[in-house]
Amino acid sequence: MTVAQALVALELDTLELEIDEAILTVTVNRPAVLNALSPAVIDELRQVFGALRETLGVPCDDAEDTAPDWSVRGVMLTGAGEKAFVAGADISAMQHMTPVESREYSLRTQELTSWIEMLQVPVVAAVNGFALGGGCELAMACDYIFASENASFGQPEVALGLIPGFGGTVRLTQYVGIAAARELIITGRRIDSAEALRLGLALCVLPDVAALRDAARESLRLAAAQSPAAVASAKQTTRAVRPMSTDDGLAYEAEAFAGRFGTPDMVEGTTAFLEKRRAQFLGL
Ligand code: CO8
């Protein structure tokens, strides 16, 4: 069974999964509470992204099949309806947590965001409305963010006597720089899609939710036409070099670059170019 088949067989209460041409759409589906992240949502997201990270690019468990499993080539993460991507962590589920419980919750969710960030295939956040607190943090764990015109971003935790706990203090700074991140976190103010675009938080803004999902899917399809092994290496390398000095980053990149030489996908990609035909990648 491929990971795509295993995923659609999962019984999930808070997420909807759909696979179309190897693009997986994961929809957080609690519209009555603006898709707020309850512990159940986090557990189900961990099931989905946990299964993906363990199986993508390795032979599937069918004994006869030795080809790597690339049955999912990209993931779109979005929220149900038109009003919200995710309006944050579920405040009612969080209110009575002890410091010990909240640390555990924070660490489990941060681990999920790292799995998303390091996943072997691209993950695009399609932000269709409110992306607040944990919602903004979930979107920032993705490779990039596409937004609809009605999208609204923010880290409003200070209004609750809290601070971001799902990676916001780290990733918002990486997206928008230290001053803009501090200003947003300290004031808790919400920004619209135009300001998110200007700050570099959103990569592009689409006029409505249908156009947003089409654009995110098209971007993932473009990536899916490339060598999956090269895409995985490119994604892993851009993350690994980020905290490095220029010299260390360049040395790391040279190793990763060299690591692609002689691989089946590199041989196929370069041969196909020279033979003026479309490459048929194995994903190795
Ligand atoms: N949690 C729980 N319920 C929520 C949440 C939420 N984050 N957001 C909205 N809802 C519920 C509302 O309570 C309401 O429920 P009901 O209909 O039963 O009253 C329903 O969704 C609809 O919401 P509104 O009526 O408020 O809709 P509006 O259009 O008037 O307002 C807003 C929309 C502006 C998005 C407003 O709902 C709001 O401010 N929501 C809260 C946003 C927020 O503060 N998010 C951050 C939460 S904290 C967080 O994410 C921290 C992450 C790190 C934690 C680390 C943990 C250990």
Side-chain angles (χ1 to χ4, degrees):
M1 191 191 279
T2 64
V3 66
Q5 290 160 339
L7 286 176
V8 288
L10 284 177
E11 288 187 16
L12 303 167
D13 293 325
T14 67
L15 303 179
E16 268 182 12
L17 304 187
E18 189 195 321
I19 299 183
D20 181 26
E21 294 176 31
I23 306 301
L24 169 68
T25 300
V26 180
T27 305
V28 181
N29 187 22
R30 302 181 75 214
V33 287
L34 305 185
N35 304 321
L37 297 174
S38 61
V41 181
I42 299 299
D43 281 348
E44 293 190 353
L45 285 169
R46 285 177 59 99
Q47 281 184 52
V48 170
F49 283 97
L52 289 168
R53 73 188 284 273
E54 278 165 24
T55 50
L56 283 181
V58 297
C60 70
D61 55 13
D62 183 339
E64 289 163 26
D65 197 348
T66 52
D69 184 347
W70 291 109
S71 56
V72 172
R73 299 289 303 275
V75 183
M76 170 166 58
L77 188 55
T78 193
E82 306 227 335
K83 190 170 173 185
F85 172 72
V86 164
D90 190 314
I91 296 167
S92 57
M94 228 170 37
Q95 187 184 17
H96 298 295
M97 283 182 186
T98 64
V100 170
E101 289 166 339
S102 62
R103 179 181 300 107
E104 162 69 9
Y105 189 39
S106 170
L107 291 172
R108 277 174 63 74
T109 310
Q110 286 179 352
E111 186 176 54
L112 164 69
T113 63
S114 296
W115 290 353
I116 294 172
E117 195 173 58
M118 292 189 284
L119 199 68
Q120 298 91 317
V121 297
V123 186
V124 176
V127 171
N128 53 310
F130 293 112
L132 302 177
C136 188
E137 293 168 301
L138 190 62
M140 290 191 293
C142 298
D143 292 295
Y144 40 91
I145 298 172
F146 283 7
S148 58
E149 216 161 85
N150 72 331
S152 167
F153 297 82
Q155 297 290 158
E157 286 87 348
V158 287
L160 302 168
L162 286 169
I163 68 164
F166 296 165
T169 62
V170 178
R171 292 198 180 94
L172 189 57
T173 300
Q174 292 166 351
Y175 270 83
V176 303
I178 184 74
R182 279 204 182 129
E183 190 267 340
L184 289 173
I185 291 171
I186 287 167
T187 64
R189 78 181 172 92
R190 293 205 295 263
I191 59 172
D192 63 14
S193 54
E195 187 169 0
L197 182 68
R198 186 172 59 73
L199 288 174
L201 182 56
L203 193 57
C204 62
V205 176
L206 286 305
D208 55 45
V209 172
L212 166 71
R213 295 197 175 128
D214 284 350
R217 221 171 273 120
E218 186 49 34
S219 180
L220 289 165
R221 275 201 201 105
L222 267 179
Q226 318 305 324
S227 151
V231 168
S233 174
K235 179 166 165 165
Q236 196 273 333
T237 302
T238 54
R239 185 187 194 268
V241 298
R242 201 173 53 210
M244 294 182 187
S245 69
T246 302
D247 287 347
D248 288 351
L250 292 174
Y252 189 99
E253 183 191 78
E255 284 306 310
F257 177 70
R260 297 302 314 142
F261 278 70
T263 62
D265 276 8
M266 183 271 186
V267 172
E268 168 62 7
T270 52
T271 306
F273 176 82
L274 295 171
E275 292 176 355
K276 302 191 187 306
R277 62 171 173 83
R278 201 187 160 112
Q280 300 292 325
F281 292 117
L282 286 174
L284 286 167

